[in-house]
Amino acid sequence: MVLLIDAGNTRIKWALARPGAALGDWLASGAVTHTELNHLPASWPQTGITRALVANVAGPRLRDQLQLMIPTTAIDWFASRAQLDGMHNRYRNPAQLGCDRFAAALGARALEPGRPIIVATCGTATTIDAVSAQGDFLGGMILPGLGLMAAALARNTAQLPQVAARDLPAGFADNTDDAILSGCLAAQAGAIERAFALHGAALCVLSGGAAPFIAPQLAVAHRMVDNIVLTGLQRAANASDFTTG
């Protein structure tokens, strides 16, 4: 079995897959927050995992912790590169691109081949990236995620409250909580729609914890995909030209 891990800024997501299995065909999957990290080993079989592929954007301390927990010594720490699985990385410095963004683009392209797409991952930060129909990763945008936007307003203003993401009634907000959330959602959706128009995209592949709240606000064609980074890691694990990063 292959253990796939997406170690993000807030949560660690994982999946178990057989080598060569179809994308998203996982034997098991789950997620924990950073404070629940010690629960991870109990979620994984301690035998039968022959390889782990990890995208870590949460820093060296978490990498060291995961290294001790993963029940195999065959660990690939996924990194962005100039080319993989037919996708060309056009970042000025390909290695500087966040490995999670590279994996998400790889997964989205595998699900929607031959189409110009926008890949929006809506987590602690929102990343919005463009992939051409020919398979070029062109670059993208990074902005504060939905929760960070709301928290910044609550922290830096005297009388605005902290609000949580939820479904909103249609139309203009008639109370402060809804007005804050409406503004933050509009900013997220507006950035995605601007990128969509700039790229001339056919579809936006949308993922991340805030995606269910942002999706209803979008006026462009979109597809929700859970755990797009794990999907990309699975694609990378099966790619004939993948080597340890």
Side-chain angles (χ1 to χ4, degrees):
M1 289 180 291
V2 180
L3 174 61
L4 310 167
I5 300 176
D6 169 21
N9 292 300
T10 303
R11 295 193 301 160
I12 298 99
K13 290 153 276 187
W14 61 271
L16 285 170
R18 293 187 180 91
L23 293 183
D25 183 9
W26 298 331
L27 299 168
S29 62
V32 297
T33 64
H34 284 215
T35 58
E36 300 168 323
L37 181 64
N38 290 335
H39 297 294
L40 270 180
S43 302
W44 302 330
Q46 296 304 297
T47 60
I49 295 176
T50 57
R51 178 186 180 193
L53 184 54
V54 187
N56 172 37
V57 297
R61 183 170 181 269
L62 184 62
R63 173 173 171 148
D64 291 344
Q65 291 173 303
L66 287 172
Q67 180 104 37
L68 296 173
M69 293 177 176
I70 294 171
T72 177
T73 57
I75 304 174
D76 292 331
W77 298 97
F78 188 72
S80 299
R81 59 205 71 196
Q83 181 175 329
L84 180 62
D85 193 41
M87 189 173 77
H88 299 268
N89 184 351
R90 302 304 185 190
Y91 229 51
R92 184 179 302 175
N93 177 358
Q96 188 185 49
L97 174 65
C99 63
D100 56 339
R101 293 171 63 195
F102 189 70
L106 199 69
R109 178 175 178 266
L111 294 174
E112 297 290 342
R115 305 181 78 188
I117 56 174
I118 288 295
V119 187
T121 305
C122 309
T124 305
T126 295
T127 61
I128 306 168
D129 295 310
V131 180
S132 74
Q134 295 74 33
D136 290 323
F137 179 94
L138 301 176
M141 307 172 180
I142 303 174
L143 61 150
L146 181 62
L148 278 181
M149 281 189 172
L153 278 173
R155 186 173 58 249
N156 295 297
T157 57
Q159 298 186 43
L160 293 183
Q162 175 71 59
V163 299
R166 61 184 185 282
D167 293 330
L168 281 175
F172 290 105
D174 61 2
N175 63 84
T176 300
D177 282 12
D178 283 358
I180 292 170
L181 184 55
S182 178
C184 293
L185 285 169
Q188 299 284 318
I192 293 169
E193 290 170 359
R194 183 177 178 84
F196 194 99
L198 181 65
H199 184 36
L203 184 74
C204 172
V205 176
L206 191 68
S207 192
F213 305 104
I214 296 170
Q217 311 299 317
L218 290 175
V220 296
H222 57 277
R223 171 184 178 181
M224 295 237 335
V225 178
D226 289 336
N227 296 315
I228 191 64
V229 173
L230 293 178
T231 302
L233 290 177
Q234 186 182 8
R235 180 71 178 194
N238 293 335
S240 61
D241 59 341
F242 178 76
T243 55
T244 301

